[in-house]
Amino acid sequence: MKMWSKLLTTILCSTCISSQSWATKLPNPDLTLPEKYADILINSYGAQNVQYALIKDGKFVVSGARGINDKKNHTQITTENIYPIASISKIYTTAAIMNLVEEGKINLDEPIITYMPDFKMKDERYKNITPRMLLNHSSGLMATNLENAFLYDIDTTNHDILLNVLQNQRLNANPGEFSVFCNEGFSLAEILIERVSGLSFTEYINKYITEPLELDITTTPQDDFNMDIIANLSVPIGYFGYAALGAKAEVINALGTAGIYTNAQELCLFAEIFLDEGILTQESIDLTGSAQYLEGMWHDNGKSIIEYGLGWDNGALSPFNEQGIKVLSIAGDSAHSHASLLVVPQYDIAVAVLSTGGFSSGSIINLSMASQLLLDELIKDGAMQPPTLPQRIVPTNPIEVPDKYLKYNGFYINDSLECKIDIDKHGILKITLPNLPYFPSQKLWYQGNGIFIDPTGNAQFEFVEEENGHTYLKSTYLIDAGFFPLTNTGYQYQKLEPISISDKIENVWKNRLGKKYYMLDIPYNGLTYAYQLPNIIMPSQMPVKGYFDRWKILDNNNVISVLQIPQAYGRDAEDAQFYIQDGIEYMKSNKGLYVEEEAVKPLADGTYTIADNGYAQYFKSSDKDKSLSVTIDGAGILAVYNNSYGCVYSSMLEDARTVELPADATVVIAGDAGTTFNITVN
């Protein structure tokens, strides 16, 4: 029940990214190696531009930029352009928290209600959340609606309403039980910094980080924000309109979790906080890179690109750790941009790779390039031997499966998917997606000792029964993006066990199968409108008793998340409530408010006004509708979508024009209360 972009990302990342193999012959021998690496991102993964830097002992060894910045004005990207660095912002938040810890103003293991008595949730366990848990992703917080933070304008709403939003939420897990990616923890840490310091988050970052480090470009949207120097994405990903040149820059207003803007050079200069004592003591630096993820549930072996420290995604990145070199890493993705940062305290090195466009989880590709740049530097200096390529075990044939593994047949879930696992006696494990039948099944062959391996040797799976009572499908796969392959291991799916519900309740949910619901409360200037129709589609079947897709059924109208997966595949847990108002069904979750398709009106000439509640309105075209034009009085947007949910026109991105309507088009209007739309249909 996620939107399509994230769904496709999950499917891609759950297998093997393998566009090229390491040591592939690189194009244009006249280019430097970093330039060739950047061209892999551009030519193989669709990045529009790439910026990169490597600093060593305070001097830049590598620095450059490749690709187009502005197609409209025919300009190239430069090293001066800035990017939203998305989740790398979290390590800035961590640095601020650790600074306050050193000043004695915060204790990492004191409940945050000590510092924020107005922080409340309806789940009493919230009283046990500590600052450490915010930074190591183990707070147990569920997702909140970040649609109101990723905008085309500067806005503080996401920050201002967070505490009110959390008051109505439960926790998804006991605080400290396991670490799973959580944006909300860092948004809460942003507020904690403000409460303890008496400064706004931006003021604190400026006073204690950017000014002491003399970072002149690093900024947040709350600064004197120069949007003209943000790296451009000429064509919004997934946009099918005429606005092929000069798309508006994204503004990320969730500052503590994703709202820092900088360039590759200043990102490396910021990283010097973790290379030498100064802003932080060595004790604090070491603590941020410690293996915090081991404090809770985690898989028992296998390296991963995600092994949480405090703020860091990883405190001992492979293949460097195998040769005794500690590499800290963090990466992030926004709607337009992707970023990766590596820090090597032992050798006083930092590497940054930033890009726009291309692969929707492009930070994985950026991480691969950054790792290759670092490998090159360490090998050149004799600090590291060329690492051994990850072992690929290519099976010749499946072998017979012992009966004890057949109990693992059934249905499994993660943050985006429900899958069906079938194991036959002859050793074939088949994974299918019941609600996405057009996706091909994935098959693995049993090779003994509980291990199932992909016929290509790129991925292997095994089943793990954890102490919490859940069964997990653990995967290990290679990220082979044309650089040295990285290995990623973790729990990818969680098994669903049937539960008893009455036939009456089950029938209520069966009546919702296949229904569409449309999101009502995305701000009119939200990025989502330009990428895809903001709707969700209910599952087509209910194969597990007591569950509606990935939700556990409580009664006729309420479902809750049961996701308990550490690392990344259990992120963004969501509960939902369905209710009827004026004969129309609505769905409210911790991520937003939706209305059923029956509320969508036929497209017709008329003047339409956004009501006081500010909700978006949706319309459906008929076969006779060929085009429309609109004039807007007030702050608002009109967008048109094709029958594949792609946006073909957005008044936010294009000037007013007559829009040709695709077959079976959907039209949305959104804006401030009182905004009017005069629509003419031809």
Side-chain angles (χ1 to χ4, degrees):
M1 299 190 194
K2 301 287 183 184
M3 294 184 178
W4 293 109
S5 61
K6 184 163 184 204
L7 177 61
L8 293 173
T9 297
T10 300
I11 294 169
L12 287 168
C13 291
S14 65
T15 56
C16 170
I17 301 169
S18 187
S19 169
Q20 310 191 32
S21 62
W22 193 43
T24 296
K25 185 178 179 181
L26 296 167
N28 196 341
D30 295 330
L31 299 178
T32 65
L33 271 178
E35 289 172 334
K36 293 174 183 178
Y37 296 158
D39 281 0
I40 290 178
L41 271 62
I42 294 169
N43 297 328
S44 296
Y45 296 100
Q48 180 171 304
N49 51 63
V50 181
Q51 194 185 87
Y52 50 89
L54 186 153
I55 195 170
K56 181 180 180 182
D57 298 326
K59 297 180 180 179
F60 284 103
V61 177
V62 171
S63 180
R66 297 283 289 172
I68 298 168
N69 183 44
D70 187 340
K71 290 183 179 180
K72 184 176 182 180
N73 296 310
H74 308 288
T75 60
Q76 299 291 304
I77 198 72
T78 74
T79 56
E80 296 300 311
N81 289 104
I82 66 172
Y83 293 73
I85 58 172
S87 280
I88 296 181
S89 305
K90 292 177 172 63
I91 201 63
Y92 289 72
T93 303
T94 298
I97 290 286
M98 295 308 297
N99 196 41
L100 289 165
V101 169
E102 291 181 0
E103 291 180 357
K105 295 180 179 179
I106 291 178
N107 182 323
L108 282 177
D109 298 310
E110 185 76 18
I112 60 174
I113 57 173
T114 303
Y115 312 103
M116 299 167 54
D118 54 337
F119 166 55
K120 300 180 187 297
M121 299 181 72
K122 68 179 182 180
D123 186 327
E124 287 295 307
R125 294 177 294 175
Y126 82 92
K127 297 176 182 177
N128 298 322
I129 298 174
T130 66
R132 182 188 301 272
M133 296 170 187
L134 300 180
L135 301 184
N136 67 21
H137 297 271
S138 70
S139 65
L141 289 165
M142 301 180 75
T144 58
N145 180 12
L146 282 179
E147 304 285 357
N148 60 19
F150 285 73
L151 309 175
Y152 287 115
D153 295 304
I154 298 169
D155 188 285
T156 63
T157 300
N158 181 263
H159 168 279
D160 298 342
I161 68 173
L162 179 62
L163 293 183
N164 287 335
V165 169
L166 291 175
Q167 282 187 4
N168 298 313
Q169 286 191 18
R170 68 176 181 94
L171 291 176
N172 190 54
N174 293 320
E177 185 175 357
F178 57 86
S179 293
V180 58
F181 183 85
C182 180
N183 284 316
E184 290 63 36
F186 286 83
S187 291
L188 201 54
E190 174 189 338
I191 297 175
L192 175 61
I193 290 165
E194 294 179 333
R195 293 295 180 83
V196 171
S197 70
L199 301 173
S200 72
F201 179 80
T202 296
E203 289 170 338
Y204 192 92
I205 294 297
N206 286 340
K207 183 174 181 179
Y208 292 99
I209 293 179
T210 60
E211 291 175 8
L213 293 175
E214 298 181 350
L215 304 180
D216 299 324
I217 291 179
T218 304
T219 185
T220 83
Q222 299 301 312
D223 275 317
D224 185 10
F225 195 46
N226 183 2
M227 296 179 66
D228 292 336
I229 64 171
I230 298 175
N232 188 277
L233 180 66
S234 293
V235 183
I237 298 170
Y239 188 67
F240 298 97
Y242 294 160
L245 303 175
K248 293 169 67 72
E250 59 183 331
V251 180
I252 304 176
N253 295 285
L255 307 185
T257 194
I260 302 289
Y261 289 67
T262 190
N263 62 15
Q265 287 188 349
E266 285 210 353
L267 183 52
C268 288
L269 291 171
F270 159 78
E272 292 193 325
I273 288 176
F274 302 94
L275 297 177
D276 297 297
E277 283 192 305
I279 289 178
L280 297 180
T281 65
Q282 191 61 49
E283 182 181 2
S284 293
I285 294 169
D286 292 343
L287 183 59
T288 66
S290 62
Q292 296 285 310
Y293 65 98
L294 293 177
E295 298 296 319
M297 179 180 67
W298 202 262
H299 58 84
D300 58 357
N301 56 61
K303 287 298 294 179
S304 173
I305 59 174
I306 297 179
E307 296 174 349
Y308 293 116
L310 293 180
W312 295 107
D313 289 344
N314 196 308
L317 188 66
S318 182
F320 308 98
N321 70 302
E322 285 86 353
Q323 297 192 32
I325 301 172
K326 185 177 180 64
V327 175
L328 311 173
S329 70
I330 188 168
D333 294 288
S334 67
H336 292 178
S337 300
H338 317 289
S340 180
L341 172 67
L342 304 181
V343 176
V344 194
Q346 184 176 346
Y347 291 103
D348 200 21
I349 295 174
V351 188
V353 176
L354 311 177
S355 65
T356 65
F359 190 61
S360 57
S361 285
S363 64
I364 297 174
I365 313 302
N366 291 23
L367 177 65
S368 296
M369 175 177 165
S371 297
Q372 187 65 61
L373 288 169
L374 179 57
L375 272 174
D376 293 347
E377 186 64 25
L378 292 172
I379 292 170
K380 180 189 74 175
D381 286 353
M384 185 174 180
Q385 295 299 311
T388 302
L389 284 168
Q391 186 179 14
R392 295 175 189 257
I393 302 174
V394 180
T396 55
N397 289 293
I399 63 176
E400 187 170 327
V401 176
D403 289 342
K404 65 180 181 179
Y405 292 110
L406 300 181
K407 67 179 179 179
Y408 296 124
N409 282 332
F411 289 85
Y412 291 69
I413 59 169
N414 62 25
D415 65 319
S416 296
L417 297 171
E418 179 183 48
C419 76
K420 184 173 186 286
I421 292 179
D422 291 295
I423 305 170
D424 67 27
K425 283 285 294 179
H426 303 294
I428 304 294
L429 183 154
K430 184 169 71 171
I431 303 176
T432 55
L433 306 178
N435 292 304
L436 295 171
Y438 48 85
F439 274 96
S441 62
Q442 183 178 7
K443 293 182 179 180
L444 296 100
W445 295 354
Y446 185 64
Q447 297 296 292
N449 298 319
I451 303 296
F452 296 82
I453 299 181
D454 180 90
T456 67
N458 287 326
Q460 69 176 41
F461 291 172
E462 61 182 300
F463 296 93
V464 178
E465 296 179 32
E466 272 285 0
E467 293 180 357
N468 64 1
H470 289 301
T471 296
Y472 297 95
L473 182 62
K474 174 184 168 184
S475 67
T476 298
Y477 58 88
L478 295 179
I479 301 170
D480 184 356
F483 307 101
F484 186 88
L486 304 177
T487 302
N488 199 44
T489 300
Y491 293 152
Q492 187 172 332
Y493 289 104
Q494 172 186 324
K495 194 173 191 292
L496 290 182
E497 300 295 347
I499 56 176
S500 177
I501 60 171
S502 70
D503 291 342
K504 182 178 179 180
I505 292 176
E506 186 174 45
N507 287 333
V508 170
W509 289 96
K510 284 183 176 179
N511 289 332
R512 294 187 175 111
L513 291 174
K515 289 184 66 173
K516 298 176 184 177
Y517 293 77
Y518 295 78
M519 199 167 187
L520 296 175
D521 55 354
I522 302 175
Y524 75 90
N525 52 356
L527 270 63
T528 299
Y529 289 117
Y531 296 99
Q532 58 196 16
L533 180 64
N535 74 337
I536 57 174
I537 303 172
M538 296 296 115
S540 59
Q541 53 183 289
M542 294 169 55
V544 184
K545 185 76 171 179
Y547 291 89
F548 190 65
D549 193 51
R550 296 164 295 108
W551 281 326
K552 177 182 176 181
I553 298 170
L554 296 183
D555 53 35
N556 285 348
N557 297 308
N558 292 278
V559 286
I560 62 170
S561 170
V562 293
L563 275 176
Q564 297 282 291
I565 306 177
Q567 200 173 51
Y569 287 110
R571 60 177 289 179
D572 297 339
E574 180 179 20
D575 294 345
Q577 177 188 28
F578 293 75
Y579 63 92
I580 303 292
Q581 183 174 312
D582 298 327
I584 298 295
E585 185 170 66
Y586 293 81
M587 184 192 87
K588 183 172 181 57
S589 79
N590 40 295
K591 297 183 182 178
L593 179 66
Y594 301 79
V595 66
E596 66 177 337
E597 190 170 30
E598 283 75 1
V600 176
K601 304 170 185 176
L603 183 63
D605 292 350
T607 299
Y608 302 90
T609 303
I610 301 298
D612 290 342
N613 57 26
Y615 294 162
Q617 299 175 33
Y618 292 84
F619 306 88
K620 202 74 173 178
S621 69
S622 67
D623 292 341
K624 66 180 182 179
D625 299 330
K626 304 303 179 184
S627 66
L628 70 73
S629 58
V630 62
T631 58
I632 303 173
D633 184 10
I637 181 179
L638 178 141
V640 180
Y641 304 87
N642 60 27
N643 57 13
S644 298
Y645 310 132
C647 186
V648 301
Y649 173 77
S650 164
S651 65
M652 177 66 66
L653 301 181
E654 298 189 48
D655 294 334
R657 64 176 173 88
T658 298
V659 184
E660 294 183 7
L661 293 171
D664 197 26
T666 303
V667 176
V668 63
I669 59 173
D672 290 342
T675 297
T676 60
F677 298 79
N678 295 299
I679 297 176
T680 302
V681 183
N682 299 304

